[in-house]
Amino acid sequence: MGTARITSDPLLLEELLLGSPTPTDGAQVVFVGVVRNHAEGRPVRGMRYEGYEPMALEVLQAIVGEAEERHEVGSVVAAHRLGELEIGEASVAIVVSGPHRDAAYRASRYVIEEIKRRLPVWKHEHFVDGGERWVPGTHLTPDSPAPYTPGDPGLPLPPREVQGHG
Amino acid sequence: MGTARITSDPLLLEELLLGSPTPTDGAQVVFVGVVRNHAEGRPVRGMRYEGYEPMALEVLQAIVGEAEERHEVGSVVAAHRLGELEIGEASVAIVVSGPHRDAAYRASRYVIEEIKRRLPVWKHEHFVDGGERWVPGTHLTPDSPAPYTPGDPGLPLPPREVQGHG
Amino acid sequence: MDLDVLFFASYRELVGTPSVRITLPVDATVSDLVEEVRARGEGFSRLPDRPAVAVNRSVVPHAHRLESGDEVAFLPPVAGG
Amino acid sequence: MDLDVLFFASYRELVGTPSVRITLPVDATVSDLVEEVRARGEGFSRLPDRPAVAVNRSVVPHAHRLESGDEVAFLPPVAGG
């Protein structure tokens, strides 16, 4: 059921919504992450996303599978974009459909938090003042069980070690 | 910024997404509630939504305003449909845009939970076997402070008295 | 004073009409109104004795004093979304 | 054995190339590989001494034993989404 996509093409919501909801679904939760014009108070001009594509696809497929397994949802579709993005363009889109809203919200949240923690993708921020930087990220560690806990309130997980690049 | 709509026309996502996200927004959370083909294990054919329209509009406007006030989001748009709906049709749609995803998820959840608790709307379920019923709901009480608490984890609130109609 | 009272959903079906005009003494409360409405018999008497009542589109306590021209509605438990 | 090692994002910029071929003794571990890579000097020596390393698209402990044909990548802290 779940679909994962890593692409350099613009993310089209209509496309990601195809086939959803099904007749058994009562709730649909869509998350879209977009490039915004500021970071920590500094005006941003755009963002370049770089990924380790084959690994990113495998990790995203795993995340989508986990979301479907751990939450009672009908289907999860997640897509992450790579390349040069302008302000307002979508970098990530997640569509969750299922019988009940609570599980749909939780699954949606699970996918975006895991994307931020685990997806081998990096972003290079271009500031309006001409500066640029690699956005500080999360240090990956050898595969550990995913951080889901039965009481998971659908909230962000405690951050793992966050650091600038080495 | 916030917009509330009570309408007998189909809810069009494209329309509700107009003007969103703005350049300061990094996250967009969309919730769509749809009529599903089963309720407590019994096959459902469709649903008729009835509302006390002027009050429903005022309450929805209040909910949208509260969501914007209590969560750091750019804009909230909420629409609720009335009339005869078929399986798969959207009864409610909420679009939240803002700088950060955590606030966007929480605001979205706030709006749908408050809609369920407070909006003067009733649904009449038509079962495939020919039966029908008014869906049991929440007894309204005189306006009390909205249930937001500073530590609100964006989760469903403890149910108020839920009962069949009197 | 005369007030038009609205009924929705299951209450509308119960009383068989979306609205009735009720005559009440000045200074009547919501509680008085509910009593008056239920006293009409048949479906009306099957309304709960403490229904949610909105005056001018806000749910009010039953001790709330009514005024001429108020928009009054009997609201069954809500189930939007 | 010979292995192609991939570098991404800030690491790629640091070492000035997206990949290098490294020759290692049989039975070498990720730890040995990191040491060998950092010994190339210049940008390579500025890589962290405990970078995240993926072998065949999974992050592995530094004690992991490498095999000929493995797909190896040095991954800076990730920031997707």
Side-chain angles (χ1 to χ4, degrees):
Chain A
M1 303 285 281
T3 310
R5 201 180 302 173
I6 305 288
T7 175
S8 298
D9 297 327
L11 303 181
L12 299 175
L13 205 51
E14 315 87 83
E15 233 174 73
L16 300 170
L17 285 168
L18 278 182
S20 159
T22 68
T24 57
D25 293 333
Q28 205 169 34
V29 175
V30 179
F31 175 83
V32 182
V34 295
V35 178
R36 64 170 185 267
N37 67 2
H38 60 100
E40 292 158 25
R42 201 168 164 196
V44 169
R45 183 163 53 81
M47 196 84 95
R48 182 164 55 79
Y49 283 80
E50 178 173 334
Y52 177 12
E53 284 200 49
M55 178 172 167
L57 183 58
E58 286 185 17
V59 171
L60 192 55
Q61 280 167 337
I63 292 169
V64 162
E66 288 159 13
E68 289 187 341
E69 196 178 305
R70 285 148 205 252
H71 300 279
E72 274 192 52
V73 291
S75 77
V76 176
V77 176
H80 201 296
R81 184 155 171 213
L82 301 178
E84 289 285 351
L85 271 73
E86 295 175 14
I87 304 300
E89 282 197 280
S91 56
V92 58
I94 302 160
V95 176
V96 177
S97 302
H100 302 290
R101 71 185 181 286
D102 187 59
Y105 272 107
R106 285 168 190 262
S108 175
R109 197 71 200 255
Y110 181 86
V111 172
I112 185 61
E113 299 305 326
E114 289 302 299
I115 283 175
K116 301 231 166 216
R117 272 170 42 101
R118 289 159 64 187
L119 206 67
V121 166
W122 301 272
K123 43 193 177 206
H124 199 244
E125 214 157 36
H126 312 289
F127 295 103
V128 170
D129 63 19
E132 50 182 52
R133 65 158 184 173
W134 289 99
V135 174
T138 306
H139 180 69
L140 292 172
T141 53
D143 293 10
S144 44
Y148 172 85
T149 53
D152 175 10
L155 285 180
L157 300 143
R160 294 213 285 190
E161 189 185 349
V162 174
Q163 53 180 48
H165 58 83
Chain B
M1 303 286 283
T3 310
R5 201 179 304 172
I6 305 287
T7 174
S8 298
D9 298 326
L11 303 181
L12 299 174
L13 205 50
E14 315 87 83
E15 233 175 73
L16 300 171
L17 285 167
L18 278 182
S20 159
T22 68
T24 58
D25 293 334
Q28 205 168 33
V29 175
V30 179
F31 176 83
V32 182
V34 295
V35 178
R36 64 170 185 267
N37 67 2
H38 60 100
E40 292 158 26
R42 201 168 162 195
V44 169
R45 184 164 52 81
M47 196 85 94
R48 182 165 54 79
Y49 283 80
E50 177 172 335
Y52 177 12
E53 283 200 50
M55 180 173 166
L57 184 58
E58 286 185 16
V59 171
L60 192 54
Q61 280 167 338
I63 292 170
V64 163
E66 289 159 14
E68 290 187 342
E69 196 179 305
R70 286 148 204 252
H71 299 279
E72 274 192 52
V73 292
S75 77
V76 176
V77 176
H80 200 297
R81 186 158 169 209
L82 300 179
E84 289 285 352
L85 272 72
E86 295 175 14
I87 304 302
E89 281 198 280
S91 55
V92 57
I94 302 160
V95 177
V96 177
S97 302
H100 301 290
R101 72 185 182 284
D102 186 60
Y105 273 107
R106 284 167 191 263
S108 174
R109 197 70 200 255
Y110 181 86
V111 172
I112 185 62
E113 299 305 326
E114 289 304 298
I115 282 175
K116 301 230 165 216
R117 271 169 44 100
R118 291 160 62 188
L119 206 67
V121 167
W122 302 272
K123 42 194 177 205
H124 199 243
E125 215 157 36
H126 312 290
F127 295 103
V128 170
D129 63 20
E132 50 181 51
R133 64 157 185 175
W134 288 99
V135 175
T138 306
H139 180 68
L140 291 172
T141 53
D143 293 9
S144 45
Y148 172 85
T149 52
D152 175 11
L155 285 180
L157 300 145
R160 294 213 285 189
E161 190 184 348
V162 174
Q163 53 181 48
H165 59 84
Chain C
M1 61 183 161
D2 289 343
L3 287 173
D4 288 319
V5 179
L6 309 174
F7 300 95
F8 290 95
S10 58
Y11 290 175
R12 176 178 45 69
E13 289 188 347
L14 207 55
V15 304
T17 174
S19 80
V20 291
R21 172 154 294 194
I22 299 283
T23 303
L24 287 171
V26 176
D27 285 350
T29 63
V30 168
S31 193
D32 299 329
L33 171 67
V34 171
E35 202 175 317
E36 188 68 28
V37 167
R38 296 182 77 231
R40 293 172 71 101
E42 306 200 11
F44 291 97
S45 65
R46 302 216 307 278
L47 288 168
D49 55 359
R50 304 278 296 167
V53 173
V55 174
N56 301 327
R57 300 169 301 286
S58 288
V59 179
V60 297
H62 281 221
H64 181 90
R65 186 147 294 168
L66 293 163
E67 291 182 30
S68 182
D70 278 346
E71 179 179 328
V72 182
F74 280 42
L75 308 178
V78 299
Chain D
M1 60 183 161
D2 288 342
L3 288 172
D4 288 319
V5 179
L6 309 174
F7 300 95
F8 289 94
S10 59
Y11 290 175
R12 178 178 44 69
E13 288 187 348
L14 206 56
V15 303
T17 175
S19 80
V20 291
R21 170 153 296 191
I22 299 283
T23 303
L24 288 171
V26 176
D27 286 349
T29 63
V30 168
S31 193
D32 300 328
L33 170 67
V34 171
E35 202 175 317
E36 188 68 27
V37 167
R38 296 181 77 232
R40 294 171 70 100
E42 304 200 14
F44 291 97
S45 64
R46 303 217 303 280
L47 289 168
D49 56 0
R50 304 277 298 167
V53 173
V55 175
N56 301 327
R57 300 170 300 286
S58 288
V59 179
V60 296
H62 280 221
H64 181 90
R65 187 148 292 169
L66 293 163
E67 290 181 32
S68 182
D70 277 346
E71 180 180 325
V72 182
F74 280 42
L75 307 178
V78 299

